[in-house]
Amino acid sequence: MSWRRLRVLIQHLPPESTTMTALRNEMSAEELAEQADKGEPEKGRWSQSDLLLAVVADRLAELSHLYVSVNRDPKAAKPKAPEPIRRPGAKAPKVKARLSEEQADTIFKLINGGAA
């Protein structure tokens, strides 16, 4: 078997195959950014039906979250919003930085005229 034949066989494996999953998981941050910038999901490692199924799952999770949020006890804590399913070519969402108690106190003092 030639190297070209092997490459063609690997390129035409189904997206859910172990080989394609391993290739997808080994992509560097630069490759993910390049794939995201191109904006060509048809050239991604997932099939169109996989991408559509991920959208449906995300919308269902959002509706479930909305239903729970609306029907919760007003005194109870607000439920955490669901994370969307990661897609090829998309980076993981960045975690927002939280203020520490010390930082919050400093800001509170500045707002209330403590900077003078």
Side-chain angles (χ1 to χ4, degrees):
M1 176 184 306
S2 69
W3 287 109
R4 182 179 183 277
R5 174 83 174 135
L6 178 63
R7 182 186 55 143
V8 169
L9 289 174
I10 290 173
Q11 286 177 335
H12 290 90
L13 285 171
E16 64 274 3
S17 70
T18 305
T19 304
M20 293 306 277
T21 301
L23 290 172
R24 183 172 53 250
N25 292 341
E26 292 298 319
M27 290 178 76
S28 67
E30 293 82 24
E31 290 172 324
L32 286 174
E34 180 183 337
Q35 191 176 18
D37 289 340
K38 285 182 183 176
E40 298 175 296
E42 66 275 1
K43 293 185 179 178
R45 300 271 187 215
W46 281 10
S47 67
Q48 289 295 322
S49 59
D50 291 339
L51 291 170
L52 290 172
L53 186 59
V55 169
V56 170
D58 288 343
R59 296 303 183 263
L60 185 59
E62 289 172 6
L63 286 173
S64 176
H65 175 258
L66 180 64
Y67 180 78
V68 170
S69 296
V70 169
N71 293 309
R72 70 180 168 87
D73 182 19
K75 297 177 184 177
K78 186 177 179 182
K80 185 179 175 186
E83 289 187 21
I85 295 173
R86 292 194 55 198
R87 287 144 173 88
K91 294 181 182 178
K94 293 182 180 178
V95 178
K96 293 182 181 178
R98 296 268 180 184
L99 286 177
S100 67
E101 285 293 324
E102 183 180 316
Q103 291 170 329
D105 288 339
T106 303
I107 291 173
F108 181 74
K109 288 176 186 175
L110 288 172
I111 289 173
N112 291 314

